[in-house]
Amino acid sequence: MMVIHRDVNTPVCLSETSTPRPSRQMIRRQKILEHFDLSRATLYRLLAEKKFPAPVYLPGGGARWILSEVEAWAEQRIQEREV
């Protein structure tokens, strides 16, 4: 691993100094519905059929989806189309 010395005022990206790991950014249901132009019913049907990434349930009853998993799902749809 190469360590690059920087000015202390320059932010350091963790991926430059550690092993990369999948993004853990989470998004709300509404963002998914808007981005993919889906209805709630369609999203929940896809979830029931295990054709969409499962949400992470937070304390207080909130549900979030991991952005990298949703992006991978979308990429897979694109790849299937191109076959």
Side-chain angles (χ1 to χ4, degrees), residues 4-80:
I4 300 172
H5 296 281
R6 298 175 183 253
D7 180 86
V8 292
N9 295 322
T10 304
V12 175
C13 179
L14 290 178
S15 64
E16 293 176 7
T17 59
S18 62
T19 305
R21 58 180 248 196
S23 170
R24 299 290 186 207
Q25 182 178 356
M26 295 184 179
I27 58 174
R28 296 175 178 255
R29 180 188 64 216
Q30 191 60 37
K31 292 290 184 187
I32 293 170
L33 299 179
E34 290 171 1
H35 185 77
F36 293 107
D37 194 25
L38 296 174
S39 69
R40 274 180 54 172
T42 299
L43 176 62
Y44 286 110
R45 179 180 49 79
L46 291 170
L47 287 168
E49 296 171 353
K50 300 197 184 298
K51 293 183 177 179
F52 195 83
V56 174
Y57 293 98
L58 303 175
R64 302 291 186 275
W65 280 260
I66 298 174
L67 179 59
S68 61
E69 292 178 359
V70 174
E71 290 172 337
W73 173 84
E75 184 61 33
Q76 188 175 5
R77 303 287 79 70
I78 292 168
Q79 296 303 319
E80 289 172 1

